[in-house]
Amino acid sequence: MELRKFLSRMESDGELLRVTKEVDPEYEIANIMYSLNERPVIFENVKGYDYPVFGGITSTRDLIAKGLGTTKESTLLKLVEALREPKEPRIIRDAPCQEVIDRHPDLDTLPILHHLPGDGGRYGTATIAIIKDPETGRNACYHRLMQIGKDRFTARVIPNRQTRTTYDKTDEDLEMAVCIGNSVAVMVAASLGPPPGVDELSIANALDRTDLVKCVTKDLEVPAQAEIVLEGRLTKDVDREGPFVDLTETRDFERREPVFVVDCITHRKDAMYQALIPGRMEHKILMGMPKEPTIYDEVSKVCDCKNVLMTMGGGCWLHGVVQIGKKGPDDGKKAIEAAFRGHRSMKSVTIVEGDVDIYDPRSVEWAVATRFQADKDLVVLEKQPGSSLDPSGDHSGKKTLTAKTGFDATKPFDVDPGKYEVVKYEKVDPNKYI
C-alpha cells in the first residue's frame, strides 16, 4: 500500500492522530512520539518549518501487516516468499518525489529531529540509503545521518555491510541517494539485508508494487512515491558521528564516519518528513523482523519450523522464540543450533510448539515453566561471536564474544501428551447472567 493511502487508511480506522498544536523538533516531537507509545501521528505545525512530520507507521507488527496487506501471523511467510522471489520494479519517468527539484540544497529547511540531550546533533533516522555496487548491483538499507552542515551529514556506515563494502573498494566518492518518507514495503525490504546481489527494492516490489524513478543528478533509482530524496555522495572525508542511542536503549559511542554531501534535494510539493525515534519500538521491529526469515530458513532445514519472533525485551535483536512442529525427540535441540546459525548475533533462543502463542510473553514463559528442565533442556555455548550492541559482552577483542543459551521448552517426546494438554474453559456471554 502506498504511504499516503496507508496514512488515510489508518486515519479512517482511528489509528492515526493529528497534532495541530505547534511543536518543536528539538526534543519535543520525539518526547511526544514516545509518550504516545509511537502511535501513528502527523505533526501538522512544526515550529520554524514548512514540512509536517509523521512517524509511528511501523511501530507494531499489526501495522506492518496492514501495510503489507496481510496478517501478523502470515507476515513471516510473506517476507520469506519475497526474499526467495524478488520482482524487478518498473521504472517510470514522472514521479511524485520529483515534483520539486532543488539543486542548491539547505538541510536546515528540513525538520530533522534532535531526539535526546547527549546526542551528537540532529539526526535523520527513517533514512533509506540507495547505492550501486559495480559487481552486485543496487542496494537499499538504513543509515542514520547526523547533520554537520547545510549540505552534509556524517553517515554511520557499518563494517561488513554492503554500503561499507562498496565504499571501501573505491578511491572515489560513492553516489548515494537517501529516501525519507516511504511505504511499509520499502521500509521493511530495506531492513532485510539479503545476500549481495539481491536487490532490496525488488523485494519491496514483491511485497507490494514499488515503482522507481531515476535520480535527477545521480545514476541511481529511488522509490517514485517517496516524500523526500537527498541525492549526494558518500565522500572519503570523515568527521565526528555520535553519540546516539541504539537498539538496547543505551548510547552508542562517538566515531569517525564518512561525510555524506547532498548535491540535490527532490520532493513532493506537499512533502512530509518522516521521523523514527531511536531505541524504541519501530527501531527494534525493523531491526529484528528481518532476522526472522533467516532463522526460519535455517530451522526449516532440520525440523518443521512454524514461526519465529525476535522479542521486544531482547531489543528485537538478542532474544528470539522459535515455534516448531515437533516430530522427533531431538527437534528442540536441533532447532536451537539452527536458530543461532540463522542469526549469529542472537544471544538466547526459546523453542516452543504450536500450542504456545509466541506473541504472548506469558505463554512463552508458561512453556518454560511447565516443559523445561535445566539439567536436560538447557543449551549453553561459551565464548560465541556476539553483538556489539550487548553492553554485557566481551568487547576486548576484534569481535564481541558472549555466552549463548538455548531453552528447549517443547514437550518431552516419550510421555503421554495429555499430561501437557492445556485445559480451557468455554467462553460465555456474562451479560446473560448479570
Side-chain angles (χ1 to χ4, degrees):
M1 194 181 306
E2 293 177 2
L3 170 63
R4 295 204 171 198
K5 290 181 180 179
F6 185 44
L7 293 172
S8 297
R9 169 83 178 276
M10 287 190 293
E11 189 162 26
S12 64
D13 290 346
E15 296 169 319
L16 175 72
L17 293 177
R18 286 186 179 270
V19 176
T20 58
K21 182 180 179 180
E22 184 180 76
V23 291
D24 197 326
E26 186 87 358
Y27 307 135
E28 188 174 22
I29 288 179
N31 286 334
I32 295 171
M33 291 178 67
Y34 169 77
S35 301
L36 290 170
N37 291 320
E38 290 173 84
R39 180 175 174 177
V41 60
I42 298 177
F43 300 96
E44 297 182 341
N45 186 5
V46 181
K47 182 179 179 181
Y49 296 91
D50 296 329
Y51 298 87
V53 171
F54 74 95
I57 69 169
T58 57
S59 57
T60 72
R61 290 172 180 268
D62 286 318
L63 285 173
I64 290 174
K66 179 180 285 191
L68 297 178
T70 187
T71 63
K72 176 175 67 177
E73 292 75 14
S74 300
T75 299
L76 173 63
L77 294 182
K78 189 174 180 74
L79 295 182
V80 169
E81 182 180 348
L83 279 160
R84 291 174 178 173
E85 298 184 15
K87 297 179 181 178
E88 182 69 25
R90 185 177 67 144
I91 297 178
I92 64 175
R93 295 186 63 182
D94 298 314
C97 70
Q98 294 178 347
E99 289 174 341
V100 177
I101 299 172
D102 183 2
R103 296 177 184 270
H104 303 284
D106 181 358
L107 297 174
D108 289 340
T109 63
L110 297 178
I112 302 169
L113 300 194
H114 208 151
H115 298 90
L116 291 162
D119 286 353
R122 300 202 312 162
Y123 264 93
T125 49
T127 39
I128 294 176
I130 297 171
I131 65 158
K132 277 185 182 175
D133 185 280
E135 298 170 2
T136 59
R138 188 168 54 215
N139 182 79
C141 64
Y142 289 85
H143 292 299
R144 69 188 190 217
L145 303 173
M146 188 182 87
Q147 187 185 355
I148 57 171
K150 285 185 176 294
D151 66 346
R152 59 197 60 211
F153 299 93
T154 41
R156 173 68 173 120
V157 186
I158 299 174
N160 300 318
R161 305 285 177 86
Q162 187 60 62
T163 302
R164 172 64 76 168
T165 299
T166 305
Y167 172 81
D168 285 344
K169 67 185 181 183
T170 177
D171 295 328
E172 300 177 351
D173 293 350
L174 176 64
E175 289 188 345
M176 187 166 84
V178 173
C179 306
I180 303 170
N182 294 283
S183 69
V184 173
V186 172
M187 292 181 70
V188 171
S191 70
L192 285 172
V198 180
D199 172 30
E200 287 85 355
L201 295 182
S202 293
I203 295 173
N205 193 44
L207 291 170
D208 189 54
R209 178 174 168 175
T210 304
D211 291 341
L212 308 181
V213 66
K214 288 189 174 293
C215 285
V216 174
T217 65
K218 308 300 174 193
D219 182 25
L220 298 168
E221 299 83 37
V222 295
Q225 299 291 332
E227 294 289 316
I228 301 167
V229 178
L230 313 178
E231 300 183 8
R233 295 162 286 119
L234 201 59
T235 71
K236 293 301 177 180
D237 294 332
V238 296
D239 208 326
R240 178 181 65 89
E241 189 276 323
F244 194 65
V245 172
D246 219 316
L247 274 183
T248 50
E249 301 175 44
T250 55
R251 202 173 289 282
D252 200 3
F253 53 84
E254 183 178 313
R255 296 178 173 85
R256 304 289 289 179
E257 292 283 355
V259 174
F260 174 56
V261 176
V262 180
D263 298 315
C264 177
I265 298 178
T266 72
H267 59 83
R268 291 172 176 261
K269 290 178 181 177
D270 56 348
M272 300 181 291
Y273 181 85
Q274 185 176 10
L276 191 157
I277 59 174
R280 300 301 300 164
M281 291 179 287
E282 276 197 285
H283 187 185
K284 291 175 181 178
I285 291 173
L286 287 170
M287 279 287 287
M289 182 180 284
K291 293 303 176 185
E292 293 164 7
T294 62
I295 295 170
Y296 175 88
D297 277 342
E298 287 297 324
V299 175
S300 293
K301 294 176 183 178
V302 299
C303 63
D304 180 19
C305 188
K306 300 294 188 182
N307 210 341
V308 179
L309 176 72
M310 299 303 297
T311 63
M312 194 64 72
C316 285
W317 192 251
L318 298 176
H319 289 183
V321 181
V322 175
Q323 186 184 66
I324 66 171
K326 190 170 182 178
K327 298 178 181 178
D330 298 326
D331 282 0
K333 299 288 198 314
K334 290 178 181 178
I336 290 171
E337 295 173 2
F340 285 133
R341 290 195 297 271
H343 176 32
R344 297 190 182 278
S345 289
M346 186 161 59
K347 185 178 179 182
S348 181
V349 65
T350 302
I351 312 299
V352 298
E353 292 181 76
D355 60 343
V356 176
D357 181 0
I358 66 172
Y359 300 104
D360 181 357
R362 292 176 300 180
S363 183
V364 175
E365 184 179 357
W366 171 87
V368 173
T370 62
R371 299 177 177 181
F372 168 83
Q373 288 294 314
D375 60 337
K376 296 182 293 184
D377 302 321
L378 177 66
V379 174
V380 178
L381 304 173
E382 298 180 356
K383 297 182 179 179
Q384 297 293 302
S387 172
S388 62
L389 299 177
D390 176 10
S392 70
D394 178 0
H395 305 286
S396 61
K398 290 184 178 180
K399 177 65 179 176
T400 297
L401 296 178
T402 191
K404 298 188 176 186
T405 54
F407 297 81
D408 181 2
T410 61
K411 296 186 292 288
F413 197 69
D414 55 354
V415 298
D416 179 7
K419 180 180 179 181
Y420 292 89
E421 183 179 358
V422 181
V423 177
K424 294 184 178 179
Y425 289 89
E426 180 182 349
K427 275 201 170 185
V428 297
D429 184 0
N431 293 317
K432 293 179 179 180
Y433 305 92
I434 299 174

